[in-house]
Amino acid sequence: MEAASSAHTWIEVAALGIELLATALIICAIVAATAIYLAGLLRRVANPPAHYKQYKQRLGRALLLCLEILVAADIVRTIALDSSVQSVLSLGLLVVIRTFLSWSLILEVEGRWPWQREESEKRVDEMVDDG
């Protein structure tokens, strides 16, 4: 009984640690991307709209990474600690919401849907087909 309680506590702490990691990464990414953006403005970059686009891309990529980490924390918590039907349905809803957010971020950052190939991938495929 005590071993199960210990394992339960350890898993809960691990899930919390994963969530804290994601939170710390979000904060660090915001601070770093903003510092880079502001430094560029102070240096008067040649193309401010492109510089702003890079800022948005940095933030978007960091948020995408952190969403994935948060999904992992939810999976650990749900599967290992509380695998009732209600908690699994809640997990499913969270994953759907976070997946939608991820798709929205990918569209914003990369200008394409996640299932669409990048132009560089298309060019490589064309080169292979021609070669």
Side-chain angles (χ1 to χ4, degrees):
M1 182 87 163
E2 188 174 310
S5 176
S6 176
H8 184 276
T9 302
W10 187 87
I11 292 169
E12 186 63 42
V13 168
L16 180 62
I18 294 169
E19 290 171 342
L20 290 173
L21 171 66
T23 303
L25 286 173
I26 289 171
I27 292 168
C28 290
I30 290 171
V31 169
T34 302
I36 293 168
Y37 177 71
L38 292 175
L41 289 180
L42 292 174
R43 285 191 322 256
R44 299 182 194 226
V45 294
N47 188 353
H51 187 61
Y52 176 71
K53 183 178 179 184
Q54 288 177 337
Y55 176 59
K56 281 181 23 178
Q57 288 176 334
R58 284 185 186 101
L59 290 176
R61 286 187 181 113
L63 289 174
L64 277 168
L65 173 65
C66 293
L67 276 172
E68 296 296 329
I69 294 171
L70 288 170
V71 167
D74 289 336
I75 290 170
V76 166
R77 181 174 282 118
T78 300
I79 300 303
L81 299 179
D82 183 20
S83 56
S84 68
V85 173
Q86 184 177 358
S87 65
V88 171
L89 289 174
S90 295
L91 173 65
L93 181 60
L94 278 173
V95 169
V96 166
I97 291 169
R98 288 185 177 156
T99 299
F100 177 75
L101 289 172
S102 293
W103 287 354
S104 298
L105 283 168
I106 289 172
L107 184 60
E108 181 71 24
V109 169
E110 298 179 5
R112 65 178 178 84
W113 291 105
W115 52 84
Q116 293 175 320
R117 294 187 328 191
E118 291 185 55
E119 287 299 317
S120 60
E121 292 175 356
K122 290 179 185 176
R123 279 188 251 122
V124 168
D125 287 345
E126 290 171 358
M127 289 176 17
V128 169
D129 290 341
D130 292 343

